[in-house]
Amino acid sequence: MRKCVMTSVLVVEDNVENMELIICLLEMKGYEFEVAMDGEKALELANKCIFDLIILDIQLPKIDGFEVLKRLINTPNSNTPVMTVTACALKKDEEHFLAGKCAHSLTKPYSMNKFFEVVSIYL
């Protein structure tokens, strides 16, 4: 199993604008990243590379983020922290994320400062 880069982040987001924002924020701090626009591609990458952090949208095509969270346990990234970024803002959704391997959950829209605060916990 190869480590993709020194400090690497897997960004899983199907919305192009949201993906570009996350990429821009990661580039500002000099982090390396891989991108997936659906859950299927995310799991494919999670089986090929070891990441330091996974940023995961929940509402994804092909395989949704809840299922991705479950399946990550069977990948080399089973111990990699997962931060969800989602429009799901209900208390029960947050509890569901945290019960399912999610280390942290950010609700869209989120501030740049909050994003960096959470990312810096894990990287």
Side-chain angles (χ1 to χ4, degrees):
M1 184 58 42
R2 74 178 174 93
K3 178 120 167 54
C4 286
V5 290
M6 214 162 140
T7 299
S8 61
V9 180
L10 173 58
V11 180
V12 188
E13 172 64 69
D14 65 320
N15 180 287
V16 174
E17 291 171 348
N18 291 338
M19 173 73 79
E20 288 175 353
L21 173 63
I22 293 170
I23 288 170
C24 181
L25 295 173
L26 293 172
E27 286 176 335
M28 286 174 65
K29 295 291 185 177
Y31 296 127
E32 298 289 330
F33 53 87
E34 296 279 340
V35 298
M37 296 195 69
D38 61 62
E40 191 173 274
K41 181 67 175 179
L43 291 169
E44 179 185 316
L45 288 169
N47 278 300
K48 289 182 182 177
C49 302
I50 297 173
F51 296 96
D52 297 299
L53 176 65
I54 298 171
I55 298 174
L56 176 67
D57 184 21
I58 294 300
Q59 297 174 346
L60 296 168
K62 297 186 181 179
I63 301 172
D64 72 23
F66 291 119
E67 186 63 25
V68 170
L69 275 172
K70 289 180 200 172
R71 294 188 192 184
L72 282 172
I73 293 169
N74 297 316
T75 73
N77 288 280
S78 61
N79 293 319
T80 301
V82 177
M83 178 178 91
T84 60
V85 287
T86 181
C88 299
L90 301 174
K91 182 71 173 163
K92 69 179 176 99
D93 290 325
E94 185 174 338
E95 291 167 359
H96 187 80
F97 302 146
L98 297 176
K101 170 146 177 33
C102 178
H104 202 98
S105 183
L106 280 181
T107 302
K108 297 173 187 173
Y110 48 85
S111 73
M112 184 172 70
N113 289 339
K114 185 65 176 175
F115 178 86
F116 287 135
E117 176 185 317
V118 174
V119 168
S120 69
I121 293 169
Y122 305 105
L123 298 180

